[in-house]
Amino acid sequence: MRHVRVRLKARPSQYEIIIGEGTLRALGEVARRSLPSTARHLAIISNERVFGLYGQAAIGSLRAAGFAPQSWLMNEGERHKNLRSLGRALEFLSEAGLERSDGVVALGGGVVGDLAGLASSLYLRGLPFLQVPTTLLAQIDASVGGKTAVNLSAGKNLAGTFQQPRAVIIDTHTLETLPRRELAAGWCEAVKQGAAGSRPLFDQTYRFLREQREETLPRASAARRTAAQLEGLIAAQCAFKARVVMGDEREEIGRTDHLSRRILNFGHTTAHALEAVTRYKRFRHGEAVGYGMLVAGQVSVGLGLLDPSELELLRDAIGLCGPLPRADDLDEQAIRSALAHDKKSTGGHVKWVLLERLGRARIVDERDIAPRLLRASLRAAFSRRLSRT
Ligand code: NAD
Ligand code: GLY
C-alpha cells in the first residue's frame, strides 16, 4: 500500500491518497480518521454498474467502522453529469438527513466523482467528502485536486467548484473489471501527465506500457510484478498531479508558466473540439486527448520548439495505450471552428499547451500559430496509424 499526501492552502489543509490492492476494505477506517469525529451518516453516490461491483464492500467497511451509509445511484454516462442529476443528488442528501458533520462518498469514475463532489460542496454550503475512484482516469487525475463540475448545454464542466476531498482511496483491484477502452483512455491521460510536466513520469509510464505489451513471464509471476508496478505507477501519477495542484490550487487565470495547473490541459484543446464535432459519441475523453496531444506535438515541432524525435516517442507512447477510434474522416473545417470556441480561452484567445520537450510544457497564444501550421498538424495527427480501422 502507498500513500501520497496533498498539502493545501485552502481547507482541508492536507489529505491523504491511499493506493493499493484491496484498499476498499479500509474505507471505513480511513473515513473514521479523516471525517469529523461526530460523523455518522454517510451518503454514497455511485451508479448501478459500479455499485453492483463494489457497493457491498464499501457499505460493509463503513458499517464496520460505525457509520450508517445510504446510497443513491445516478444514471451512467457523461450525458447525465448535468444539472438534473445534481438536483436529484442534492434532494437525496436532504432526504438522507445529512448534517454538516456527516459526509459524502463518491464511488465510481470521474463522472460520479465530479457530480458527487459538486453536490457535497453545495449541500449545507459544504459537507466533507471522500473520493473512491474506480477508473484509471479518475485514479490518476479526476479524484485528485478538488475540481468538481457538471456540464451545461453550452459545454462540458461549465458549472463547478473547487472542493478538496478529505481522502482519496484508490483500490487498484477495481481496474480488473474496467473495460479495455476505459483503460486505454486512462492511459492516454497518464501519458499526458508525464509529457506535460515530468520526463521521469513519462518514462515510467512508457516502460510500463511497453512491458505490458511485451510480457513474456509466466502468467502468475507477471501478474504479481505488474500489480506492484501498477501500484507504483498510479502513486507516481497521483504524486505528480498533487505537486501541480499544490503549486496552483485554483488554476490562476494569469499564470502561463510551465508549472501552472493549466499544463494539465495538454491535448485538451483539440480533444474538446473532437468530442464536440462527434457529439460526444465517438471518443472517450482520454482517447480524444490522445489525438489532441499529437496535434499539440505537431504544432510544437512546426514552431521549432520540440525535437521531432520526441514527437515520435510521444506517438509511440500513445500507440501503446490501445487503439483509438478513427479521426481521419472528420470535417477539418468543423474541427477548426470548434477549436476556436475552446472554453479555456482567456481574453477571447485560446491558449495552447505545447511542448518544449517531453516533460516541459509551454503555453502559447493561438495567434502565434499560423492557420497553415494548424491545418497540417491536424492532418498529420489524425492519420490512421493509431486508429482501430
Ligand atoms: P466515467 O466516470 O464515465 O466511467 C467510465 C465508465 O466506466 C462508466 O460507464 C462507469 O460506469 C464505468 N466504470 C467505472 N468504474 C468501473 C469499474 N471499476 N469496473 C467497470 N466499470 C467501471 O469516466 P471517467 O473516464 O472515469 O471520467 C470522465 C469524467 O471525469 C469526465 O466527466 C471528465 O470531465 C471528468 N474529469 C474530471 C477531472 C477533475 O479534475 N475533476 C479530471 C479529468 C476528468
Ligand atoms: N484535470 C485538470 C485539473 O485537474 O486541473
Side-chain angles (χ1 to χ4, degrees):
M1 200 183 286
R2 292 168 195 254
H3 295 249
V4 172
R5 192 163 286 283
V6 187
R7 292 177 204 282
L8 301 159
K9 292 186 199 91
R11 277 178 61 80
S13 58
Q14 56 172 316
Y15 61 91
E16 226 185 340
I17 306 170
I18 298 144
I19 306 127
E21 271 194 302
T23 52
L24 195 50
R25 284 194 298 272
L27 172 62
E29 190 191 308
V30 175
R32 234 334 127 222
R33 64 171 186 263
S34 45
L35 294 176
S37 56
T38 47
R40 183 169 144 67
H41 295 285
L42 292 189
I44 301 177
I45 297 184
S46 187
N47 69 24
E48 214 164 289
R49 183 190 306 270
V50 177
F51 196 77
L53 290 163
Y54 305 109
Q56 285 318 312
I59 285 191
S61 174
L62 290 170
R63 283 204 181 121
F67 292 105
Q70 301 179 64
S71 55
W72 175 75
L73 308 183
M74 68 178 288
N75 290 327
E76 186 174 24
E78 183 69 38
R79 70 196 171 91
H80 294 288
K81 200 179 98 175
N82 58 20
L83 289 170
R84 182 189 287 237
S85 305
L86 176 66
R88 289 188 182 147
L90 291 170
E91 292 294 352
F92 157 66
L93 298 183
S94 152
E95 283 155 20
L98 260 69
E99 297 179 1
R100 286 195 60 200
S101 58
D102 291 325
V104 174
V105 178
L107 174 68
V111 165
V112 164
D114 277 12
L115 184 119
L118 181 54
S120 77
S121 75
L122 294 175
Y123 188 66
L124 299 179
R125 299 197 179 83
L127 294 182
F129 99 114
L130 301 174
Q131 285 272 19
V132 186
T134 60
T135 63
L136 180 60
L137 183 143
Q139 295 184 351
I140 62 162
D141 182 359
S143 66
V144 180
K147 280 188 182 175
T148 79
V150 292
N151 305 325
L152 301 183
S153 20
K156 272 187 67 169
N157 297 332
L158 290 180
T161 54
F162 284 95
Q163 156 89 330
Q164 301 289 346
R166 295 296 173 106
V168 182
I169 297 104
I170 297 176
D171 188 340
T172 52
H173 184 63
T174 59
L175 299 180
E176 282 174 20
T177 53
L178 198 63
R180 286 179 80 88
R181 256 189 97 177
E182 300 298 342
L183 269 178
W187 285 124
C188 284
E189 294 277 4
V191 167
K192 174 207 79 178
Q193 298 206 137
S198 163
R199 180 64 197 251
L201 183 63
F202 176 85
D203 289 342
Q204 189 180 353
T205 309
Y206 182 80
R207 259 195 320 274
F208 179 87
L209 291 170
R210 217 182 45 200
E211 283 173 20
Q212 252 196 333
R213 173 85 48 109
E214 293 165 357
E215 196 54 77
T216 50
L217 285 175
R219 217 169 230 275
S221 36
R224 265 198 309 281
R225 198 189 65 179
T226 306
Q229 284 176 334
L230 178 66
E231 193 178 299
L233 179 52
I234 290 177
Q237 289 279 345
C238 288
F240 168 77
K241 170 104 195 237
R243 201 164 64 240
V244 176
V245 169
M246 288 188 278
D248 185 10
E249 272 172 50
R250 297 174 75 91
E251 198 169 320
E252 296 302 332
I253 292 169
R255 280 189 64 172
T256 53
D257 56 277
H258 73 281
L259 299 175
S260 62
R261 188 162 178 170
R262 200 187 274 238
I263 64 163
L264 299 174
N265 295 326
F266 175 52
H268 282 58
T269 300
T270 308
H272 290 146
L274 282 177
E275 289 176 287
V277 300
T278 54
R279 297 176 190 278
Y280 297 92
K281 290 194 175 119
R282 185 182 297 192
F283 298 98
R284 299 295 303 139
H285 175 66
E287 295 173 331
V289 169
Y291 281 116
M293 288 190 279
L294 286 177
V295 174
Q298 291 283 354
V299 171
S300 308
V301 169
L303 289 178
L305 294 173
L306 181 70
D307 193 276
S309 65
E310 299 233 313
L311 175 58
E312 273 319 296
L313 194 54
L314 178 64
R315 190 188 299 280
D316 240 30
I318 296 166
L320 290 170
C321 294
L324 303 179
R326 70 185 291 192
D328 60 338
D329 58 335
L330 299 173
D331 178 357
E332 190 190 294
Q333 177 53 42
I335 293 173
R336 280 192 290 127
S337 135
L339 278 172
H341 292 105
D342 189 37
K343 79 173 163 84
K344 299 282 182 190
S345 64
T346 321
H349 295 288
V350 176
K351 298 284 186 202
W352 280 75
V353 182
L354 302 182
L355 294 183
E356 289 177 6
R357 56 174 190 266
L358 283 172
R360 188 174 169 109
R362 161 121 42 122
I363 316 265
V364 172
D365 189 288
E366 62 174 344
R367 288 167 292 183
D368 294 326
I369 302 170
R372 192 196 296 177
L373 172 59
L374 181 57
R375 281 197 301 273
S377 300
L378 288 169
R379 251 170 253 147
F382 296 165
S383 75
R384 280 201 182 194
R385 267 177 64 190
L386 294 168
S387 72
R388 279 200 272 273
T389 51

